[in-house]
Amino acid sequence: MGGTDTSAATLAVEVEGLEWYHTLELAPDVITPGWLDTRKIAHQVPLPASLSGKRCLDVATFNGFWAFEMERRGAAEVVGIDVLDPARWDWPAGSDPETIATLAARQAGGRGFEIASRALGSAVERLERSVYDLDPDDIGTFDVVYLGSLLVHLRDPVGALECVRSVCSGTLVVVDGVDPLLSLLFRRLPVATLDGIGRPWWWYGNPANLVQIVRAAGFDVVEPPRRLYIPPGPGQQTVPLRPGLLRTRGGQMAFMVSWKGDPHASVVARPRALAAPVLGKQAPPSDDFRARPA
Ligand SMILES: C[S@@+](CC[C@H](N)C(=O)[O-])C[C@H]1O[C@@H](n2cnc3c(N)ncnc32)[C@H](O)[C@@H]1O
């Protein structure tokens, strides 16, 4: 076996030894069996096609798909942050230690990112930081910030986005989970349900709710939210429609993910130049969805 074959075989063994969140093509015949396949919707996410010369941040990078994608689009520098120890995630009180251990095994201390980064020859710098700890004095500011599938896992999504705002000097792209039923029933009214029992799943709302959270954190939303569905990857078993499946909320969601993908919405925003407080009140947020800056 030649040297290249040996390293491809070694890589394949490393890939097999882990659970993957992202589906990544690491070599011609080595594709990670991700839970989701974000490759299929990358073109629908409103990230600029060229990030040439930009300093970019990927918040909650996990296996690194979006950080590598920004690097692929020509970013001058990409930093990814993540909380590698799941015990430090926003767990609701009284969460089951077994559930924490299961998710810890899935996170594997961030090993998936390291394998992928090495295989891709990436220069993305991953830092172990919580979104709540983002501080411009620590890591500087970024022209483009991507934040994907994190807000639903946070107890305080507005507080987290305020921290993102402190390091965002240009464009914020948020893609987060939405509730399909609320999205259908309430087009304009921001509405969300609270989970928060036993696992770090907190708020599931409609796209209007996502817009409102982003605005509440001091951003102007610069284009209407878009719906998108992230398809399951080869690491997720899809659920066939069978009698009784649609009776529970969990069953409806599992079927929806198998059939169409995990329902998400994207929002593009820019930090608002906050007006000086007048009589203790700030100017109301703008409703103006301007064209997205190039
Ligand atoms: C559902 S995955 C999202 C992965 C990726 N951002 C994407 O859009 O495909 C959730 C990620 O959030 C990370 N995470 C959880 N709490 C966090 C926090 N407080 N700050 C930063 N990342 C966090 C987890 O470690 C995990 O990598």
Side-chain angles (χ1 to χ4, degrees):
M1 204 186 268
T4 311
D5 290 346
T6 310
S7 57
T10 309
L11 177 61
V13 170
E14 285 183 296
V15 164
E16 263 173 41
L18 277 189
E19 286 184 49
W20 291 85
Y21 181 79
H22 289 135
T23 307
L24 297 155
E25 183 168 353
L26 301 184
D29 284 323
V30 185
I31 296 180
T32 64
W35 183 254
L36 296 175
D37 195 347
T38 37
R39 296 176 304 168
K40 295 185 177 157
I41 49 91
H43 64 285
Q44 291 176 43
V45 165
L47 272 171
S50 167
L51 289 167
S52 174
K54 304 289 186 201
R55 185 165 194 255
C56 300
L57 175 67
D58 179 26
V59 181
T61 196
F62 211 158
N63 301 148
F65 177 88
W66 293 106
F68 302 137
E69 178 65 19
M70 291 195 281
E71 185 175 52
R72 199 183 64 76
R73 295 185 191 206
E77 184 187 349
V78 183
V79 174
I81 63 159
D82 206 349
V83 173
L84 302 183
D85 175 6
R88 291 184 51 228
W89 294 353
D90 280 359
W91 289 90
S95 293
D96 177 11
E98 258 182 51
T99 311
I100 300 180
T102 305
L103 290 183
R106 204 169 284 170
Q107 184 76 357
R111 178 102 185 92
F113 175 91
E114 287 151 22
I115 293 171
S117 171
R118 199 192 58 229
L120 296 171
S122 167
V124 171
E125 182 184 15
R126 187 190 57 198
L127 299 174
E128 200 166 347
R129 297 278 190 294
S130 166
V131 63
Y132 298 123
D133 296 334
L134 283 171
D135 176 353
D137 292 338
D138 171 30
I139 59 172
T141 59
F142 296 87
D143 303 303
V144 177
V145 178
Y146 181 81
L147 184 146
S149 301
L150 174 64
L151 297 177
V152 297
H153 297 301
L154 299 180
R155 186 183 286 115
D156 180 7
V158 176
L161 280 172
E162 284 177 354
C163 300
V164 169
R165 189 180 176 281
S166 75
V167 299
C168 179
S169 56
T171 302
L172 167 70
V173 177
V174 179
V175 175
D176 222 286
V178 292
D179 181 298
L181 190 61
L182 294 180
S183 307
L184 190 71
L185 295 178
F186 302 95
R187 297 285 171 157
R188 298 185 73 86
L189 185 70
V191 184
T193 53
L194 172 62
D195 184 332
I197 303 291
R199 55 185 204 150
W201 270 253
W202 291 89
W203 313 97
Y204 263 95
N206 57 357
N209 175 69
L210 190 57
V211 165
Q212 194 72 351
I213 289 174
V214 171
R215 287 167 59 181
F219 288 89
D220 280 333
V221 171
V222 296
E223 64 174 52
R226 298 186 210 169
R227 300 284 302 275
L228 54 98
Y229 297 84
I230 307 183
Q236 182 174 180
Q237 273 197 338
T238 50
V239 179
L241 186 58
R242 52 176 195 273
L245 177 74
L246 299 180
R247 255 188 244 128
T248 65
R249 202 61 197 280
Q252 289 159 16
M253 211 42 205
F255 178 68
M256 163 68 105
V257 172
S258 297
W259 168 58
K260 222 175 164 184
D262 200 346
H264 278 63
S266 66
V267 166
V268 183
R270 313 201 98 218
R272 185 182 315 131
L274 293 178
V278 179
L279 298 176
K281 288 189 181 159
Q282 283 171 352
S286 156
D287 261 329
D288 177 24
F289 292 118
R290 280 163 290 136
R292 183 156 54 94

